[in-house]
Amino acid sequence: MLIDTYDRVATDLRVSLTDRCNLRCTYCMPEEGLQWLAKPDLLSDDEIVRLVRIAVTQLGIEEVRFTGGEPLLRPGLVSIVEQCAALTPRPKMSLTTNGIGLKRTAAALKAAGLDRVNVSLDTLRPDVFKTLTRRDRHHDVLAGLEAARDAGLTPVKVNTVLMPGLNGDEAPDLLAWAVEHGYELRFIEQMPLDAQHGWKRDGMITAGDILSSLRTRFTLTAEGDGERGSAPAERWLVDGGPHRVGVIASVTRPFCRACDRTRLTADGQVRTCLFAREETDLRGALRSGAPDEEIARIWRLAMWGKKAGSGLDDPSFLQPDRPMSAIGG
């Protein structure tokens, strides 16, 4: 069991498979990209599977989310999913992706054992997409979403970040589109995860702003805390249901008290929080020949030191030293 001093138990593991990405989203990284991790520093496929196995069989992990960077850039992704699906007990498995490449991989990932996907899409307008991501790939994301739905990687969730002056007016249109296509839309408040440290609290589009915009066209009925559990998204029924929309308000409505997540970076570090400044090295233990029991002990100790909150509710919060692409969203 992965328990901390606040009696929170981690059952959800986020695994970053690579720090690389084929987009250059303005809220994540600079246009020229980043200095990527050297290949020897990255965990191998076998090391990833071993750590997931330890987490599932010895530490009580029930859900595994593969992230990046962009996880579809990982050559061994399908094999990693297949090996993790063979574990006993079998974890629930999902993938967070930008959707580029999903059209050609969705069926194989489903066959390997992946349960569902989260796809990032911030706009319905190709020109705005190009401005936000610095790439002309909007059509590929839409095709990837359709392929995921057709392959049965459901519910297909769409993650959207709204930014003033770019896509801040699109919330109602995005929700209407998601309802029409059978996707579950989740708005995420912009967080301080950009490598260039350009995030500013003042002027950001908040959860309250998003909900007010949605209510100009839809009737929203809150699901309630009993339905939410430890999920980061607050959810509302749209026009009485069955469709739902979620809002992840990490900045204005922190949900740290119910957090059940632990994170593994692409280079084998445990992070107790997306915004943590401390990391605990598992890669070194793996490569020095440590047995599973020792790796589990190191992981438990790391989680025992988890802080009460992320610190995002503090106006003086400073961004983490590592960008999101190196940590895993």
Side-chain angles (χ1 to χ4, degrees):
M1 180 182 294
L2 291 172
I3 190 170
D4 64 31
T5 54
Y6 300 93
D7 291 328
R8 295 171 297 193
V9 178
T11 58
D12 185 330
L13 170 61
R14 307 295 170 96
V15 182
S16 175
L17 298 180
T18 178
D19 60 329
R20 296 174 184 265
C21 189
N22 42 11
L23 296 180
R24 295 292 182 270
C25 296
T26 57
Y27 53 78
C28 183
M29 67 175 71
E31 185 171 3
E32 65 273 16
L34 299 167
Q35 183 174 350
W36 308 121
L37 292 167
K39 188 172 182 179
D41 293 336
L42 293 170
L43 293 176
S44 69
D45 293 359
D46 288 343
E47 288 171 334
I48 290 170
V49 172
R50 183 183 174 195
L51 288 175
V52 172
R53 176 173 56 77
I54 292 170
V56 169
T57 61
Q58 298 196 32
L59 298 174
I61 290 298
E62 299 171 358
E63 298 187 32
V64 177
R65 172 86 60 85
F66 297 108
T67 70
E70 174 45 51
L72 292 180
L73 296 179
R74 179 88 187 201
L77 173 61
V78 172
S79 176
I80 290 170
V81 170
E82 188 172 36
Q83 292 179 73
C84 291
L87 295 173
T88 303
R90 182 199 186 282
K92 297 178 182 177
M93 290 186 296
S94 58
L95 179 81
T96 295
T97 172
N98 61 29
I100 297 174
L102 194 54
K103 180 178 180 180
R104 70 173 184 274
T105 56
L109 287 168
K110 178 65 176 179
L114 192 70
D115 294 305
R116 63 172 191 83
V117 294
N118 286 28
V119 179
S120 298
L121 180 64
D122 299 323
T123 178
L124 298 176
R125 305 194 293 251
D127 59 323
V128 176
F129 182 92
K130 187 175 181 179
T131 299
L132 278 167
T133 67
R134 306 184 178 105
R135 298 290 187 272
D136 188 14
R137 305 297 297 272
H138 189 260
H139 57 290
D140 292 317
V141 180
L142 295 181
L145 279 161
E146 293 178 8
R149 183 188 59 202
D150 294 345
L153 293 170
T154 54
V156 175
K157 297 183 180 181
V158 177
N159 294 341
T160 296
V161 176
L162 297 180
M163 301 180 68
L166 287 171
N167 61 341
D169 61 338
E170 285 196 65
D173 289 340
L174 281 159
L175 181 53
W177 166 83
V179 167
E180 177 186 355
H181 290 85
Y183 307 137
E184 183 175 323
L185 184 62
R186 306 195 313 172
F187 292 98
I188 303 175
E189 286 184 337
Q190 185 189 359
M191 295 178 283
L193 292 167
D194 55 314
Q196 60 270 38
H197 290 192
W199 179 85
K200 291 180 175 60
R201 182 183 296 269
D202 294 341
M204 66 171 284
I205 296 176
T206 67
D209 297 332
I210 294 166
L211 293 171
S212 294
S213 178
L214 293 176
R215 285 181 171 127
T216 63
R217 195 183 305 181
F218 303 94
T219 299
L220 304 182
T221 306
E223 271 195 334
D225 292 339
E227 293 288 337
R228 182 180 183 183
S230 61
E234 296 180 76
R235 298 201 305 176
W236 286 262
L237 292 173
V238 179
D239 292 339
H243 299 287
R244 292 171 170 80
V245 64
V247 178
I248 300 177
S250 299
V251 179
T252 62
R253 304 180 187 180
F255 40 85
C256 301
R257 284 183 294 178
C259 181
D260 66 347
R261 285 170 290 288
T262 182
R263 297 175 182 275
L264 185 64
T265 68
D267 54 349
Q269 311 299 306
V270 170
R271 279 210 165 207
T272 59
C273 174
L274 186 59
F275 304 98
R277 292 184 175 276
E278 302 82 19
E279 296 178 334
T280 301
D281 182 27
L282 295 185
R283 184 188 64 199
L286 279 173
R287 295 181 180 178
S288 65
D292 289 358
E293 292 74 17
E294 174 62 12
I295 293 170
R297 185 194 68 80
I298 295 171
W299 207 330
R300 288 191 190 98
L301 187 61
M303 293 303 295
W304 184 250
K306 184 172 182 172
K307 295 181 178 179
S310 66
L312 277 177
D313 52 347
D314 182 350
S316 65
F317 178 85
L318 297 175
Q319 291 101 319
D321 295 328
R322 291 228 274 173
M324 181 167 61
S325 64
I327 299 168

